Amino acid sequence: MVSRAFGWIQNPNNFGKLKKVVQIFIKDSQYYNDLINGELEKIYSEERRNELLNLLLTDNSHIPFDDLKGAKRFPDGFEGPKTRPNQVAFGLVQLAAGNPCEFSTEKYKTWTDDYTSGAYVDWALTLNFLKIDQNNIVSITDIGNKFATSPKGSWKSSKSYEASREEKDILVNAFIAYPPAVRVLKLLKENKQKNGSKALLSKFRIGHELGFSGEPGFTSFSEDEWFEVLSNQPVTSKSDFRSNVEGSSDKWARAIASWLAKVGLVTTEKLHKLINSNDEYTSHAYKINMAGEMALKRAEGYSKYSPSTKYIDWTMLATSVTNKVYVRTRRAYTIKAIQSSPSIEQIQYYLDERGLFEGIGVLKADIKGLIRFGLNIIDENKKVLLKDNINNFRIPNINVTDELKDRDLQKIKSSLQNQLENMDPADIEIIEMAWKKSPTKSKNTIDATLFEAKTVEIMKKYIGLAGEHLGGPKKPDGFLYDINNFGIILDTKAYSQGYPLDITQQREMQDYIDDAKNKKPGIPKNEWWRIIPSTMSNNDLNFVWVAGDFTGNYLEGVKNTHIKSGINGTALDVETLLRLSDKVASGQMKKTELPALMNNARLSLV
């Protein structure tokens, strides 16, 4: 099984560096000759230089992935911080994706770290300029050969490359074969048709509708919630917030839209919103132009055009979701099933034969995800029509065992997708968000903010509450309300082991309740309580903790908070939140029944 996953790229965006990566595979290309004639001298050791030189001279058409990407290496005897800027060059693409020599006067500036080099190889694989076999050996494709040998564009600076007309033509062909890029163009075209030629789509609105929306790897902030939180940031923090606070799907949207902009298919503008009398903006908003519309017609086979063949790979069909090997395989065979027959019954039978059918709700969720991935699929209830031509991609042989298939979270999600007919599958993915443990502190902060925002979004979208995602120091994560009935002070906790509701969190909630009751100017300084409607009495306030699950003496914490504050509250797990939301959305419950469920215990629908 291929160990490398590609298909979703965040950071690489320089077509000049991409071209150098692909030219490594073409003997006597400009960058191949650069390597042979001096670039390899930047490799940190003579032994490693000779290994790579021998590889290029003997067979540069098939190169092991690790020799391309390089590795984390530091100077011999180095005692400083083991950070990316301090790495030495070890692989070919660490040189190719570094700064061009003509813009660098210091030797260390002309190569990059192994993370960045790996991302550039992934980008070339994603656009089908390169391909990788089951032994992780990389080679060039026909379209990659055309790109590598096309007339060169021009470097404007070490970070800016203007592609030539010929390069742009090849890149456009690659993009209309890449389903997520087609999806971005389609969303922009639909927005133009609905809202006019001046209408913009932010990376957040695109991210909400891109890929397998909602699951880890495809998280997205609500645009409205993001702007609300931005408006509450100190002026000195707004720039960092705009740069760093985004979901993974928002990053995919930003990256893809930036590529499309560089080849002239979309334009980029700032999107402004007036929030609390302040002008707020994001720099990442887009609209399609005429060239983009023509490219979309080619992609979809409109009018005189035959649809472009879409290039996909098994690894593109899930990223960070739990049990991703199984999920990728289920979705891959779903594509094969739709290619085989448009009948929903035949598709079910095809999957069931392979131990992959988990219910109609899961199947419909996967189909919706494949549409958001960028495949031209028409879902007509009992028929599913695939309008695209797709490459004959390979699915690894796996044994679909219960252990592989029935991970706990996957089992819960599959059950909910089959039962909650009124909910978007993207919102059911909050199950994974609630249990996610991030590898770094900064990533954990963003993931926690995503969980807060998604919780507020679900309660507004399905239960019909008003309110805002707040978050930040001295503020609850949100305040939601039904104007004539009740308000909710919301605190969310994304814990990988369940939430114990410790004394610190109880004290924080008590502070929020005191702020909401007293409404004293200047306390706290952010005066978050001004969101509470003036007609709402203190008796109408409630508190709610939301988590994946609760552990320890959490019930005692809920009761203690009730006794000390004099208001009612509850502990609400995300599965129950989803079931509650579905009941209200379907009309089985009224939102006015919600206060009765907040009875100072765990919220139950039984």
Side-chain angles (χ1 to χ4, degrees), residues 62-98:
H62 293 81
I63 301 176
F65 178 86
D66 289 343
D67 288 322
L68 284 173
K69 174 180 177 287
K72 293 180 182 179
R73 294 288 188 276
F74 299 92
D76 293 339
F78 181 71
E79 296 181 357
K82 299 294 179 69
T83 56
R84 292 181 193 173
N86 291 323
Q87 287 185 23
V88 293
F90 190 77
L92 295 169
V93 178
Q94 284 182 271
L95 303 178

Side-chain angles (χ1 to χ4, degrees), residues 124-125 128-133 137-141 311:
L125 291 167
N128 195 29
F129 289 161
L130 301 177
K131 60 185 177 180
I132 189 168
D133 67 17
I137 303 298
V138 182
S139 56
I140 197 167
T141 64
Y311 173 74

